[in-house]
Amino acid sequence: MAAIAEVRSIRPARSLRKASNRPVCKICSDSMVAAEASAFLSDDVVSYLWSCDNCGYGFVTTQALKPSVCN
């Protein structure tokens, strides 16, 4: 006779904070994991090209980099 057991995790499967930092497609609401391409616009600004794998919608984001200080 087979036994069935249910195993429950005490931690949530995904952190809400980490999930909210990912870009989401405005057309189909699919979350994206990695940019298709990136380019430096200046020494402290990076541009990212995103393309949705689900519907093909594409868009560009920019990110200002904070200068790092080495001790």
Side-chain angles (χ1 to χ4, degrees):
M1 184 165 164
I4 298 175
E6 182 177 343
V7 178
R8 294 184 183 205
S9 174
I10 58 173
R11 295 184 328 173
R14 184 190 303 196
S15 169
L16 295 176
R17 189 173 145 226
K18 288 182 181 177
S20 66
N21 291 339
R22 292 183 180 164
V24 176
C25 178
K26 293 180 182 181
I27 304 300
C28 69
S29 300
D30 191 23
S31 64
M32 296 174 214
V33 177
E36 192 170 316
S38 61
F40 281 97
L41 299 179
S42 65
D43 287 342
D44 59 347
V45 178
V46 181
S47 175
Y48 297 99
L49 172 64
W50 299 90
S51 180
C52 180
D53 290 334
N54 194 33
C55 70
Y57 177 73
F59 58 96
V60 175
T61 61
T62 56
Q63 180 69 43
L65 303 176
K66 295 180 184 177
S68 60
V69 178
C70 297
N71 292 333

